[in-house]
Amino acid sequence: MAKKKKPKKAQRPNIVTIDEHVLDRLYLVIDSRKGADPETSYTARLFSRGRQQIAKKLGEEAVEALIEGIQGDKPKLVAESADMLYHLLTLWAAVGVKPKSVWDELARREGLSGIAEKASRKRT
């Protein structure tokens, strides 16, 4: 008697929709840390220190990413970029900016020349 073949698992395409993006998931985790114990959560500690401290940390991480980008150290640039994105999402959560708002703005700019997009901001 022939063995039945197991159906193959449907392979997920190598495309991630914006709704399942890691940044959206990370934002939800960060946002859930509001009001958590600052002794047990770094994110809660950042929130307890306020937006100014979160913004300062974002600036520090951006400078570190910039340095690694100039030096060309790819692994360090990857790590610093992750730190920078984490702190950016934390600042968004502190201010109440939802990732979808940023994704929508990026989509609005898609296909626009950077020069034309900047010029349009000067008129408004």
Side-chain angles (χ1 to χ4, degrees):
M1 184 188 271
K3 289 185 180 179
K4 289 185 178 180
K5 290 184 180 179
K6 290 183 180 178
K8 289 184 179 181
K9 283 186 177 180
Q11 290 202 349
R12 186 174 176 182
N14 198 15
I15 299 171
V16 177
T17 63
I18 202 71
D19 292 333
E20 25 178 65
H21 196 279
V22 66
L23 294 176
D24 291 304
R25 294 190 307 270
L26 178 57
Y27 178 88
L28 292 174
V29 171
I30 289 168
D31 198 49
S32 75
R33 297 297 194 266
K34 288 178 180 173
D37 183 359
E39 295 297 318
T40 61
S41 167
Y42 175 73
T43 304
R45 188 175 308 151
L46 282 173
F47 283 131
S48 74
R49 292 179 178 164
R51 281 188 312 222
Q52 189 172 1
Q53 183 63 29
I54 296 167
K56 180 181 174 192
K57 283 299 296 177
L58 172 60
E60 291 170 7
E61 298 301 340
V63 169
E64 290 171 4
L66 178 147
I67 290 167
E68 299 307 337
I70 290 170
Q71 292 179 348
D73 188 322
K74 289 180 186 180
K76 286 183 179 178
L77 177 57
V78 167
E80 294 301 341
S81 296
D83 290 347
M84 187 179 74
L85 287 170
Y86 161 80
H87 286 89
L88 177 61
L89 292 173
T90 305
L91 184 59
W92 290 356
V95 175
V97 171
K98 302 288 186 205
K100 184 174 182 333
S101 298
V102 178
W103 309 155
D104 289 348
E105 178 62 13
L106 288 170
R108 184 190 69 76
R109 295 179 185 188
E110 191 173 10
L112 288 178
S113 153
I115 294 169
E117 195 281 325
K118 282 189 176 199
S120 73
R121 283 191 263 162
K122 289 179 183 174
R123 285 186 235 136
T124 57

PDB file of all heavy atoms in Angstrom, residues 67-81:
ATOM      1  N   ILE A  67      28.026  57.467  12.630  1.00  0.00           N
ATOM      2  CA  ILE A  67      29.458  57.159  12.746  1.00  0.00           C
ATOM      3  C   ILE A  67      29.765  55.818  12.091  1.00  0.00           C
ATOM      4  O   ILE A  67      30.721  55.699  11.309  1.00  0.00           O
ATOM      5  CB  ILE A  67      29.902  57.171  14.222  1.00  0.00           C
ATOM      6  CG1 ILE A  67      29.878  58.612  14.757  1.00  0.00           C
ATOM      7  CG2 ILE A  67      31.290  56.546  14.396  1.00  0.00           C
ATOM      8  CD1 ILE A  67      29.990  58.724  16.274  1.00  0.00           C
ATOM      9  N   GLU A  68      28.946  54.814  12.392  1.00  0.00           N
ATOM     10  CA  GLU A  68      29.192  53.485  11.804  1.00  0.00           C
ATOM     11  C   GLU A  68      28.983  53.506  10.290  1.00  0.00           C
ATOM     12  O   GLU A  68      29.684  52.806   9.554  1.00  0.00           O
ATOM     13  CB  GLU A  68      28.313  52.424  12.464  1.00  0.00           C
ATOM     14  CG  GLU A  68      28.557  52.251  13.949  1.00  0.00           C
ATOM     15  CD  GLU A  68      30.015  51.994  14.329  1.00  0.00           C
ATOM     16  OE1 GLU A  68      30.810  51.528  13.488  1.00  0.00           O
ATOM     17  OE2 GLU A  68      30.361  52.263  15.497  1.00  0.00           O
ATOM     18  N   GLY A  69      28.035  54.328   9.818  1.00  0.00           N
ATOM     19  CA  GLY A  69      27.829  54.459   8.383  1.00  0.00           C
ATOM     20  C   GLY A  69      29.030  55.077   7.700  1.00  0.00           C
ATOM     21  O   GLY A  69      29.454  54.633   6.629  1.00  0.00           O
ATOM     22  N   ILE A  70      29.611  56.073   8.318  1.00  0.00           N
ATOM     23  CA  ILE A  70      30.802  56.715   7.758  1.00  0.00           C
ATOM     24  C   ILE A  70      31.982  55.750   7.779  1.00  0.00           C
ATOM     25  O   ILE A  70      32.744  55.658   6.815  1.00  0.00           O
ATOM     26  CB  ILE A  70      31.135  58.017   8.528  1.00  0.00           C
ATOM     27  CG1 ILE A  70      30.078  59.080   8.214  1.00  0.00           C
ATOM     28  CG2 ILE A  70      32.537  58.523   8.181  1.00  0.00           C
ATOM     29  CD1 ILE A  70      30.164  60.317   9.097  1.00  0.00           C
ATOM     30  N   GLN A  71      32.117  55.003   8.875  1.00  0.00           N
ATOM     31  CA  GLN A  71      33.232  54.068   8.992  1.00  0.00           C
ATOM     32  C   GLN A  71      33.040  52.836   8.113  1.00  0.00           C
ATOM     33  O   GLN A  71      33.994  52.128   7.826  1.00  0.00           O
ATOM     34  CB  GLN A  71      33.439  53.667  10.445  1.00  0.00           C
ATOM     35  CG  GLN A  71      33.940  54.826  11.290  1.00  0.00           C
ATOM     36  CD  GLN A  71      34.136  54.469  12.751  1.00  0.00           C
ATOM     37  OE1 GLN A  71      33.709  53.419  13.217  1.00  0.00           O
ATOM     38  NE2 GLN A  71      34.789  55.354  13.471  1.00  0.00           N
ATOM     39  N   GLY A  72      31.798  52.567   7.722  1.00  0.00           N
ATOM     40  CA  GLY A  72      31.533  51.441   6.830  1.00  0.00           C
ATOM     41  C   GLY A  72      31.489  50.089   7.519  1.00  0.00           C
ATOM     42  O   GLY A  72      31.589  49.056   6.857  1.00  0.00           O
ATOM     43  N   ASP A  73      31.300  50.079   8.821  1.00  0.00           N
ATOM     44  CA  ASP A  73      31.218  48.817   9.557  1.00  0.00           C
ATOM     45  C   ASP A  73      29.769  48.324   9.497  1.00  0.00           C
ATOM     46  O   ASP A  73      28.927  48.770  10.276  1.00  0.00           O
ATOM     47  CB  ASP A  73      31.674  49.022  10.998  1.00  0.00           C
ATOM     48  CG  ASP A  73      31.798  47.718  11.764  1.00  0.00           C
ATOM     49  OD1 ASP A  73      30.954  46.812  11.562  1.00  0.00           O
ATOM     50  OD2 ASP A  73      32.733  47.605  12.579  1.00  0.00           O
ATOM     51  N   LYS A  74      29.480  47.422   8.568  1.00  0.00           N
ATOM     52  CA  LYS A  74      28.100  46.988   8.330  1.00  0.00           C
ATOM     53  C   LYS A  74      27.437  46.360   9.550  1.00  0.00           C
ATOM     54  O   LYS A  74      26.313  46.732   9.884  1.00  0.00           O
ATOM     55  CB  LYS A  74      28.037  46.042   7.129  1.00  0.00           C
ATOM     56  CG  LYS A  74      28.273  46.737   5.818  1.00  0.00           C
ATOM     57  CD  LYS A  74      28.197  45.744   4.668  1.00  0.00           C
ATOM     58  CE  LYS A  74      28.578  46.408   3.359  1.00  0.00           C
ATOM     59  NZ  LYS A  74      28.506  45.437   2.250  1.00  0.00           N
ATOM     60  N   PRO A  75      28.077  45.403  10.231  1.00  0.00           N
ATOM     61  CA  PRO A  75      27.406  44.812  11.394  1.00  0.00           C
ATOM     62  C   PRO A  75      27.092  45.845  12.481  1.00  0.00           C
ATOM     63  O   PRO A  75      26.022  45.818  13.082  1.00  0.00           O
ATOM     64  CB  PRO A  75      28.405  43.760  11.899  1.00  0.00           C
ATOM     65  CG  PRO A  75      29.226  43.416  10.704  1.00  0.00           C
ATOM     66  CD  PRO A  75      29.336  44.698   9.915  1.00  0.00           C
ATOM     67  N   LYS A  76      28.013  46.772  12.715  1.00  0.00           N
ATOM     68  CA  LYS A  76      27.754  47.795  13.727  1.00  0.00           C
ATOM     69  C   LYS A  76      26.680  48.764  13.260  1.00  0.00           C
ATOM     70  O   LYS A  76      25.861  49.223  14.054  1.00  0.00           O
ATOM     71  CB  LYS A  76      29.044  48.545  14.080  1.00  0.00           C
ATOM     72  CG  LYS A  76      29.995  47.721  14.926  1.00  0.00           C
ATOM     73  CD  LYS A  76      31.215  48.526  15.319  1.00  0.00           C
ATOM     74  CE  LYS A  76      32.161  47.702  16.182  1.00  0.00           C
ATOM     75  NZ  LYS A  76      33.380  48.468  16.519  1.00  0.00           N
ATOM     76  N   LEU A  77      26.655  49.067  11.965  1.00  0.00           N
ATOM     77  CA  LEU A  77      25.609  49.939  11.435  1.00  0.00           C
ATOM     78  C   LEU A  77      24.242  49.269  11.573  1.00  0.00           C
ATOM     79  O   LEU A  77      23.259  49.925  11.934  1.00  0.00           O
ATOM     80  CB  LEU A  77      25.875  50.302   9.968  1.00  0.00           C
ATOM     81  CG  LEU A  77      24.803  51.153   9.293  1.00  0.00           C
ATOM     82  CD1 LEU A  77      24.558  52.462  10.044  1.00  0.00           C
ATOM     83  CD2 LEU A  77      25.179  51.410   7.839  1.00  0.00           C
ATOM     84  N   VAL A  78      24.178  47.976  11.332  1.00  0.00           N
ATOM     85  CA  VAL A  78      22.923  47.241  11.509  1.00  0.00           C
ATOM     86  C   VAL A  78      22.453  47.345  12.957  1.00  0.00           C
ATOM     87  O   VAL A  78      21.297  47.654  13.237  1.00  0.00           O
ATOM     88  CB  VAL A  78      23.075  45.761  11.071  1.00  0.00           C
ATOM     89  CG1 VAL A  78      21.893  44.918  11.530  1.00  0.00           C
ATOM     90  CG2 VAL A  78      23.243  45.675   9.557  1.00  0.00           C
ATOM     91  N   ALA A  79      23.356  47.105  13.895  1.00  0.00           N
ATOM     92  CA  ALA A  79      23.001  47.146  15.317  1.00  0.00           C
ATOM     93  C   ALA A  79      22.566  48.548  15.742  1.00  0.00           C
ATOM     94  O   ALA A  79      21.554  48.709  16.436  1.00  0.00           O
ATOM     95  CB  ALA A  79      24.181  46.674  16.169  1.00  0.00           C
ATOM     96  N   GLU A  80      23.307  49.555  15.328  1.00  0.00           N
ATOM     97  CA  GLU A  80      22.956  50.924  15.698  1.00  0.00           C
ATOM     98  C   GLU A  80      21.659  51.368  15.021  1.00  0.00           C
ATOM     99  O   GLU A  80      20.882  52.133  15.601  1.00  0.00           O
ATOM    100  CB  GLU A  80      24.099  51.891  15.368  1.00  0.00           C
ATOM    101  CG  GLU A  80      25.362  51.672  16.179  1.00  0.00           C
ATOM    102  CD  GLU A  80      25.185  51.784  17.677  1.00  0.00           C
ATOM    103  OE1 GLU A  80      24.192  52.375  18.151  1.00  0.00           O
ATOM    104  OE2 GLU A  80      26.067  51.273  18.406  1.00  0.00           O
ATOM    105  N   SER A  81      21.423  50.886  13.814  1.00  0.00           N
ATOM    106  CA  SER A  81      20.170  51.208  13.126  1.00  0.00           C
ATOM    107  C   SER A  81      18.984  50.621  13.874  1.00  0.00           C
ATOM    108  O   SER A  81      17.944  51.274  14.018  1.00  0.00           O
ATOM    109  CB  SER A  81      20.196  50.688  11.689  1.00  0.00           C
ATOM    110  OG  SER A  81      21.194  51.343  10.936  1.00  0.00           O
TER     111      SER A  81
END
